[in-house]
Amino acid sequence: LEIIVTIINLNDNSPVFKQTNLTRVIPEDTKVNATIVAREDLSASDADLDIIYYELSSTVQNTSNYFAIKGINNPEIYLQKALDYEKFNLTTLLLYARDRPVDSNETTHTATATINIIIEQADTKPPWFLPCNFIDVDKSICISSPYTGRVNMSEMSTEPLTLEPGPIYAIDPDYILNEKIVYSIVGGDADNVFSVDADTGNLTMNKIATSPDSYLLQVMATQVNNKQKYSTVSVEIKVINRSEHAPYFESSIYTGEVSVGLVPKSFVFQADDPSSPLMITAVDDDFPDV
């Protein structure tokens, strides 16, 4: 009598990862769709030879949509959204391997692998002139206002010019890298009246200003390590006549009178001439014809 015995495989083994804890360091400017962890580093095996079903999640809030796996049966992890170091620079992913589909009613065994993702800041932003104002909620774009200053006609200052709202100054917003920045004048100074210190940004004069017209300089801040990372700002220098005299009031005392019960913004009249409004005037000997 020949007896054939068929042994049915019992699902009594859990999937097994080759590595249950991995760490990857990736730059902030990693391209979307780039592979972060290869399939061979994440594939799990099953002694029961079952098909493995994978699922990826994140333990850090608002970072799960940055990473994904290629498919339910392909655990290769890739980047599906551009990174931003200012939003987060570290996250932990959990990769689950199951020997049955997630919605299966059969006995299911699960294994878990932990993937730590460390993000390195990349040189992604051009310099910012300060002070500047953010125009987006992510604080990734900061717009600076023009600088302004003044010089006296036919005089050459030997000190750095005083500017508003402050001295020319730019920073590398990729603050971890903090690349060195140099300054240069790239426009608005055809007569070579001004110079800017490449290292400090201080604006000085090379010679006197002989024209009453204002100068509208264009100053550029450039990263030393990458000339394609630069920003420009306008610097308006007004040329004025030197003031030799302080303004003064024509009278040291002014006397006026008002009537009781007048409505607001009513005229105040001169005490010695009730028919004439009281006028307070000042003069400046630098402008005798005004």
Side-chain angles (χ1 to χ4, degrees), residues 69-130:
I69 56 177
K70 285 295 182 72
I72 194 171
N73 301 120
N74 183 353
E76 178 178 313
I77 298 176
Y78 70 97
L79 183 67
Q80 66 174 359
K81 183 179 178 181
L83 297 169
D84 186 339
Y85 185 87
E86 276 68 35
K87 291 184 177 179
F88 71 97
N89 52 50
L90 176 67
T91 189
T92 299
L93 306 176
L94 296 178
L95 181 65
Y96 300 97
R98 299 183 176 88
D99 53 14
R100 293 291 185 272
V102 175
D103 56 355
S104 175
N105 294 322
E106 300 181 49
T107 300
T108 303
H109 298 93
T110 304
T112 305
T114 302
I115 303 97
N116 302 299
I117 305 294
I118 300 173
I119 300 168
E120 290 184 331
Q121 188 170 43
D123 191 3
T124 60
K125 299 182 179 68
W128 288 346
F129 282 98
L130 299 181

Side-chain angles (χ1 to χ4, degrees), residues 131 143-149 163-166 216-218 233-236:
I143 302 298
S144 60
S145 300
Y147 296 95
T148 59
L163 303 177
E164 295 292 340
L216 189 59
L217 309 178
Q218 293 295 317
V233 71
S234 297
V235 183
E236 183 182 13

Side-chain angles (χ1 to χ4, degrees), residues 255-257 267-279:
T255 304
E257 64 179 25
F267 281 117
V268 175
F269 292 92
Q270 298 181 32
D272 56 356
D273 185 5
S275 63
S276 299
L278 179 65
M279 298 181 65

